[in-house]
């Protein structure tokens, strides 16, 4: 995904150096340049003439320095009482709140999503920070009866150690916060690498942590490319845990690297999410949900509603209303409050999405009902804009119905029954989110039970997670972990079971000493 910006960077580095703001890594409490001396230019995807800044294209040595700083800070941080750690996070939340408008504008500028959505992304980071901070006075373990008399049994959480966090560009502040804040409240120290397309939002998050008083070395930021910085983080022998969000392909590479040294590996990856629209659905409401789910963030959400499985009885009505609404959407620079759909992230994304337009129409034989084109004239000339696109007459086996396109493209698939719709919904390699529109509670609960996904919505689109519920998916989407909710604490802490024998004598467990009762 980042290749397009990369190419641009190399072409234009010398032209822009003087006037371009320069950013640094954050290692051991200091803002430092990369040892590599190389940079990545961060450009606005709505207008690539707008250079936001240059960020270190860091080397493996920078990662090693960051890991050393995290190691040096670990003992003091893990021994800081969790409620004290949480106080610092609460302060970080206040700072994020104070600077929300600036962070929102920064995010729209570097990532392209419309201001309202960028504000939502920053708000999610704030919510997540407060929520994690609240855990500082809980981090609950449990007690349980022991098998023997005069014996006590309990279980407590302990920090994992040094954690590497690797994040994507589509939620450039929310996703880093989903990992960082729970990691910190649990007492871990961290090295974080944002996506090369969106380092500024993570830089802003780390600045807030610094100002809030997170001690030096507890959080370390290293920007750069996946194949250097990401790969070194994934394979670093001192990093006990890697938490990754991104594509399924990259996630697999990260998992291999972790398996080599038996590191804990938490993966949040791709999706191909379906909304089922039944014949008793409120069609207008379903159309609004589909438009929001498919074209919000220009379709660049892991939870995007990229498949709409529609009962034959309402298929025509639903499709024509959907097409009408998709055509009304205003595409443009997300900084303009009149715009509904911003640009996609970079040139590679444009090329990939346009390839799928061709596959859908010419290989798969679906009907291109609206959209399908890149916008390249007038205000669009310097950005990466694509028309909101609807394919109809799609069958479940088509590539556009199976593969993650990650753009403003959705496929309408006709179905004859609820059971068939569920089979279609489940018939992809991913398992992140699914939804149903119906007025029938029995159908709703049946679908909820039978869809094999981590998230399910009734009468709502497949997007819109809240930070206090677990987030993640099955099959190709995840490896069994969940972020957000209290479940994220199970990623960032290790359970320790503790037995206290206060009988004053040897009591032997795992020996068959049971007597019949009575
Ligand atoms: P990506 O896999 O290209 O990159 C993700 C991160 O991994 C980036 O920081 C990148 O630099 C890094 N990386 C790349 N190569 C690496 C390597 N060899 N070793 C280690 N790190 C490496 O993904 P992307 O294009 O940034 O994001 C889009 C993808 O993310 C989509 O598939 C989307 O569905 C997924 N996503 C999933 C969730 C979720 O929670 N399930 C959320 C958001 C995005």
């Amino acid at each position: 995904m980042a290749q397009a910006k990369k190419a641009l960077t190399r072409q234009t580095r010398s032209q822009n150096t003087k006037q371009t703001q320069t950013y640094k890594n954050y290692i051991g409490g200091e803002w430092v340049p990369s040892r590599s001396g190389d940079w990545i230019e961060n450009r606005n995807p709505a207008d690539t003439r707008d250079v936001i800044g240059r960020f270190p294209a860091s080397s493996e040595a920078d990662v090693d320095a960051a890991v050393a700083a995290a190691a040096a800070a670990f003992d003091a941080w893990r021994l800081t009482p969790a409620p004290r750690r949480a106080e610092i996070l609460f302060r970080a939340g206040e700072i994020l709140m104070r600077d929300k408008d600036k962070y929102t504008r920064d995010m729209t500028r570097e990532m392209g999503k419309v201001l309202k959505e960028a504000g939502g992304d920053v708000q999610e980071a704030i919510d997540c920070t407060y929520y994690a901070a609240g855990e500082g006075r809980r981090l609950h373990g449990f007690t349980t009866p022991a098998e023997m008399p005069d014996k006590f049994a309990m279980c407590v959480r302990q920090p994992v150690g040094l954690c590497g966090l690797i994040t994507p560009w589509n939620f450039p502040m929310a996703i880093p916060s989903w990992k960082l804040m729970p990691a910190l409240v649990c007492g871990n120290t961290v090295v974080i690498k944002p996506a090369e397309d969106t380092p500024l939002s993570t830089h802003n998050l780390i600045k807030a942590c610094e100002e809030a008083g997170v001690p030096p070395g507890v959080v370390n930021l290293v920007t750069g490319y996946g194949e250097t910085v990401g790969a070194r983080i994934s394979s670093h022998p001192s990093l006990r845990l890697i938490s990754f969000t991104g594509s399924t392909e990259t996630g697999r590479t990260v998992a291999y690297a972790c398996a080599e040294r038996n590191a804990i590996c938490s993966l949040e990856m791709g999706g191909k999410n379906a909304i089922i629209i039944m014949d008793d659905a409120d069609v207008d409401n379903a159309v609004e949900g589909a438009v929001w789910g498919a074209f919000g963030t220009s379709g660049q959400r892991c939870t995007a509603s990229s498949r709409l499985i529609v009962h034959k009885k309402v298929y025509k009505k639903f499709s024509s209303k959907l097409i009408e609404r998709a055509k009304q959407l205003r595409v443009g620079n997300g900084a303009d409050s009149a715009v509904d759909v911003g640009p996609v992230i970079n040139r590679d994304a444009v090329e990939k999405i346009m390839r799928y337009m061709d596959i859908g129409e010419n290989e798969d034989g679906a009907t291109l009902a609206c959209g399908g084109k890149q916008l390249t004239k007038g205000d669009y000339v310097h950005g990466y804009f694509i028309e909101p696109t609807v394919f109809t007459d799609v069958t479940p086996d088509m590539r556009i119905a199976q593969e993650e396109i990650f753009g403003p493209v959705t496929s309408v698939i006709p179905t004859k029954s609820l059971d068939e719709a569920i089979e279609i919904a489940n018939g992809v390699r991913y398992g992140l989110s699914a939804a149903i529109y119906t007025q029938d509670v029995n159908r709703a609960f049946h679908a909820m039970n039978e869809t094999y996904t981590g998230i399910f919505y009734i009468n709502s689109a497949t997007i819109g997670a809240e930070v206090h519920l677990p987030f993640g998916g099955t099959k190709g989407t995840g490896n069994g972990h969940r972020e957000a909710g209290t479940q994220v604490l199970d990623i960032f802490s290790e359970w320790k079971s503790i037995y206290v024998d206060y009988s004053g004598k040897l009591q032997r467990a795992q020996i068959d000493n049971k007597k019949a009762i009575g």
Side-chain angles (χ1 to χ4, degrees), residues 115-283:
L115 283 171
K116 274 201 171 134
E117 291 185 33
D121 194 311
V122 177
Q123 186 59 46
E124 223 177 277
I126 295 166
D127 295 343
C128 179
T129 303
Y130 285 141
Y131 186 70
E135 279 306 313
R137 286 195 181 269
R138 286 186 290 270
L139 286 179
H140 290 150
F142 60 91
T143 64
T144 184
E147 288 177 3
M148 294 175 188
D150 299 331
K151 192 173 172 192
F152 191 89
M154 62 182 165
C155 221
V156 299
R157 291 185 187 277
Q158 295 208 309
V160 167
L162 277 53
C163 300
L165 314 180
I166 302 173
T167 56
W169 46 264
N170 64 337
F171 279 84
M173 191 181 264
I175 290 178
S177 78
W178 278 32
K179 300 178 187 301
L180 179 62
M181 300 308 174
L184 294 184
V185 83
C186 287
N188 305 287
T189 56
V190 162
V191 177
I192 184 167
K193 180 206 123 37
E196 37 278 69
D197 283 296
T198 55
L200 179 57
S201 296
T202 309
H203 171 96
N204 288 339
L205 183 69
I206 303 308
K207 274 268 182 202
C209 291
E210 181 192 26
E211 187 185 338
V214 173
V218 170
V219 176
N220 303 277
L221 168 70
V222 183
T223 62
Y225 295 117
E227 57 266 34
T228 44
V229 178
R232 181 60 181 157
I233 289 176
S234 305
S235 61
H236 199 291
S238 301
L239 291 173
R240 171 82 184 109
L241 179 153
I242 305 299
S243 171
F244 168 87
T245 300
S247 63
T248 300
E249 291 66 32
T250 311
R252 198 173 297 124
T253 310
V254 171
Y256 286 138
C258 290
E260 281 286 328
R261 66 183 192 288
N262 201 27
I264 301 164
C265 178
S266 165
L267 304 172
E268 297 281 353
M269 301 173 289
K272 191 73 187 175
N273 315 286
I275 304 180
I276 297 170
I277 294 120
M278 293 305 299
D279 50 345
D280 64 344
D282 173 342
V283 170

